[in-house]
């Protein structure tokens, strides 16, 4: 991207120069004046150029800590543990001028609890263009790497993509969705990029961000939350350490978790494992109200409550946690509005 920016810029500049050179005759004083004018024009033109075309520069990429904090507090519901870990991890990494390795996060939890959404919030507070930035890359196992028999091709392709994109812009972000369905060999193939290398063949990966999303560990996290609920304790009392054991047991020992048999874990390449709690009725209502506002309607509590009430919850008797979380809410709401 940086190269492309410069190339485009160079083409524009030579275009401007040849137009100027075509004007004849030019007296010396006019030429001098013109040179000054061109220099001034080019300086402002360069700024204008960067203004309109996304480049790998601070104009387009800069971390907004206040923004991320605000978004996590007001847009993500029921995830006090994940919010804290994400805030700490991203801020620590982005304010370190010389990180020793790329940031590697692994987000775990039941479907609809906000893993994709958090990735979006991070992207929006780093890139001006958020998820539509040319430096943001999302890979979904079933969409990008569906056939096990093509695994060797996928490996080469993925390595090429990561190398290519990071050499264009060091501050690139890669999201791997559906890690549970990702072939373990594929993850192993990108391992060198996540490691503590100064550079690999002239490319440094230390400014990049890798985020893995998976349902692995979801059931164990649910169990912890359910135990708290049964003991009559507040959900907000749940601490990261209460979930860590649950998470490590399922992630490390589950051969379907996508991490199985990979050395990501042995080598401590994942900086943070981030647990997402299952959502309760009240969080579904919060999501619904936010979604209604996002759709341009006045949020009406009765409407959202009716919708939330008709969703599925588990355990069957107690109806504590939502099955689908906030994922289905956008489409469901359309029926009720
Ligand atoms: C950072 O985010 C805050 C809150 O969303 C916003 O008010 C502010 O304008 C942002 N700052 C920059 C530099 O984008
Ligand atoms: C960057 O990644 C995208 C996939 O997100 C890929 O299509 C593209 O070819 C990559 N660019 C380079 C230069 O490798």
């Amino acid at each position: 991207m940086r190269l492309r920016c410069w190339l485009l810029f160079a083409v524009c500049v030579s275009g401007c120069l040849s137009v100027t050179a075509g004007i004849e005759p030019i007296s010396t004083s006019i030429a001098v004046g013109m040179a000054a004018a061109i220099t001034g024009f080019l300086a402002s033109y360069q700024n204008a150029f960067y203004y309109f075309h996304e480049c790998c520069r601070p104009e387009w990429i800069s971390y907004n800590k206040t923004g991320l904090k605000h978004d996590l507090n007001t847009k993500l519901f029921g995830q006090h543990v994940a919010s804290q870990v994400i805030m700490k991890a991203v801020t620590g990494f982005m304010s370190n001028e010389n990180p020793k390795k790329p940031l590697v996060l692994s987000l775990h939890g039941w479907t609809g609890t906000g893993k994709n959404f958090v990735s979006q919030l991070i992207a929006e507070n780093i890139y001006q263009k958020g998820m539509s930035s040319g430096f943001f890359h999302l890979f979904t196992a079933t969409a990008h790497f569906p056939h096990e028999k093509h695994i060797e091709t996928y490996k080469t392709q993925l390595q090429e993509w990561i190398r290519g994109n990071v050499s264009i812009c060091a501050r690139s972000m890669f999201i791997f969705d559906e890690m549970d369905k990702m072939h373990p060999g594929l993850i192993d193939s990108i391992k060198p990029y996540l490691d503590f290398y100064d550079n690999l063949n002239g490319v440094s990966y230390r400014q990049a961000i890798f985020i893995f999303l998976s349902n692995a560990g979801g059931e164990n996290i649910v169990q912890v939350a359910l135990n708290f609920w049964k003991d009559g304790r507040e959900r907000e009392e749940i601490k990261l350490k209460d979930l860590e054991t649950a998470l490590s047991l399922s992630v490390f020992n589950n051969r379907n978790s996508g991490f199985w048999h990979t050395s990501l874990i042995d080598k401590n390449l994942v900086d943070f494992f981030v647990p997402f709690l299952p959502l309760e009725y009240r969080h579904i209502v919060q999501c619904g109200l936010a979604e209604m506002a996002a759709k341009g309607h006045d949020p009406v509590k009765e409407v959202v409550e009716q919708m939330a009430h008709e969703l599925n919850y588990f355990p069957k008797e107690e109806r504590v946690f939502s099955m689908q979380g906030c994922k289905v809410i956008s489409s469901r709401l359309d029926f009720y509005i």
Side-chain angles (χ1 to χ4, degrees):
M1 192 69 67
R2 188 187 309 152
L3 182 64
R4 212 181 72 196
C5 281
W6 276 109
L7 278 179
L8 280 170
F9 181 58
V11 169
C12 298
V13 171
S14 54
C16 299
L17 287 178
S18 54
V19 167
T20 332
I23 304 168
E24 283 192 283
I26 310 174
S27 76
T28 321
S29 62
I30 293 179
V32 169
M34 216 167 238
I38 292 173
T39 316
F41 170 73
L42 286 186
S44 58
Y45 185 84
Q46 183 174 349
N47 289 338
F49 182 82
Y50 290 143
Y51 188 81
F52 290 113
H53 296 259
E54 188 186 40
C55 292
C56 186
R57 294 169 52 91
E59 288 92 326
W60 292 94
I61 307 176
S62 72
Y63 175 50
N64 186 346
K65 181 181 168 185
T66 347
L68 183 59
K69 187 164 200 134
H70 174 265
D71 286 351
L72 290 173
N73 284 341
T74 59
K75 297 181 182 167
L76 180 71
F77 304 114
Q79 302 299 352
H80 65 284
V81 179
S83 280
Q84 273 172 11
V85 181
I86 294 281
M87 197 61 213
K88 191 176 119 192
V90 176
T91 303
F93 179 73
M94 294 300 287
S95 35
N96 182 352
E97 300 229 322
N98 208 353
K100 293 280 176 283
K101 70 184 280 303
L103 178 64
V104 184
L105 303 177
S106 188
L107 278 43
H108 298 264
W110 208 256
T111 170
T113 49
K115 303 184 298 290
N116 280 289
F117 186 56
V118 158
S119 316
Q120 177 187 336
L121 296 182
I122 298 174
E124 284 173 355
N125 285 289
I126 292 180
Y127 305 109
Q128 285 294 322
K129 296 180 75 173
M131 295 209 294
S132 6
S133 165
F135 311 122
F136 176 91
H137 308 276
L138 172 67
F139 302 110
T140 307
T142 48
H144 289 91
F145 318 109
H147 306 295
E148 191 159 343
K149 63 174 189 287
H150 294 149
I151 181 74
E152 291 309 318
T153 317
Y154 295 151
K155 279 187 193 174
T156 327
Q157 202 175 40
L158 184 58
Q159 288 177 331
E160 250 329 284
W161 283 348
I162 294 179
R163 196 195 51 76
N165 282 293
V166 174
S167 45
I168 289 167
C169 186
R171 196 59 101 190
S172 289
M173 185 164 161
F174 304 91
I175 313 283
F176 294 84
D177 197 2
E178 305 181 341
M179 272 295 276
D180 339 46
K181 303 195 182 84
M182 204 79 78
H183 192 285
L186 203 54
I187 302 306
D188 261 343
S189 75
I190 64 163
K191 201 182 64 191
Y193 305 129
L194 312 179
D195 215 333
F196 291 80
Y197 294 116
D198 192 9
N199 73 67
L200 288 171
N201 298 325
V203 181
S204 168
Y205 296 86
R206 290 176 164 189
Q207 305 277 332
I209 298 176
F210 294 84
I211 302 182
F212 303 125
L213 315 181
S214 80
N215 297 339
E219 280 168 31
N220 292 18
I221 295 172
V222 165
Q223 199 52 52
V224 173
L226 198 56
N227 290 344
F228 266 73
W229 182 83
K230 281 182 178 154
D231 294 344
R233 298 172 68 185
E234 290 291 325
R235 173 193 185 89
E236 285 69 27
E237 283 178 49
I238 303 177
K239 298 259 182 337
L240 178 60
K241 67 171 167 42
D242 298 315
L243 298 161
E244 267 173 339
T245 326
L247 206 51
S248 55
L249 278 179
S250 47
V251 175
F252 302 158
N253 299 339
N254 185 351
R255 54 165 61 224
N256 296 322
S257 77
F259 283 102
W260 186 70
H261 227 229
T262 77
S263 33
L264 286 189
I265 292 165
D266 307 340
K267 294 197 70 188
N268 289 318
L269 296 182
V270 177
D271 300 295
F272 295 91
F273 288 94
V274 190
F276 282 70
L277 296 166
L279 298 180
E280 297 173 10
Y281 173 82
R282 58 185 162 134
H283 305 121
I284 302 299
V285 171
Q286 285 180 305
C287 282
L289 291 172
E291 188 61 40
M292 218 168 156
K295 283 179 189 285
H297 299 280
D298 284 334
V300 183
K301 202 147 190 230
E302 290 71 36
V303 173
V304 173
E305 280 176 346
Q306 191 196 346
M307 176 218 61
H309 191 75
E310 287 169 17
L311 290 174
N312 299 319
Y313 295 84
F314 65 93
K316 241 194 167 77
E317 288 290 300
E318 299 93 336
R319 288 173 57 90
V320 187
F321 299 118
S322 162
M323 296 276 245
Q324 300 101 329
C326 287
K327 209 166 202 167
V328 292
I329 285 186
S330 180
S331 52
R332 281 300 169 91
L333 260 182
D334 294 333
F335 288 109
Y336 294 87
I337 294 174

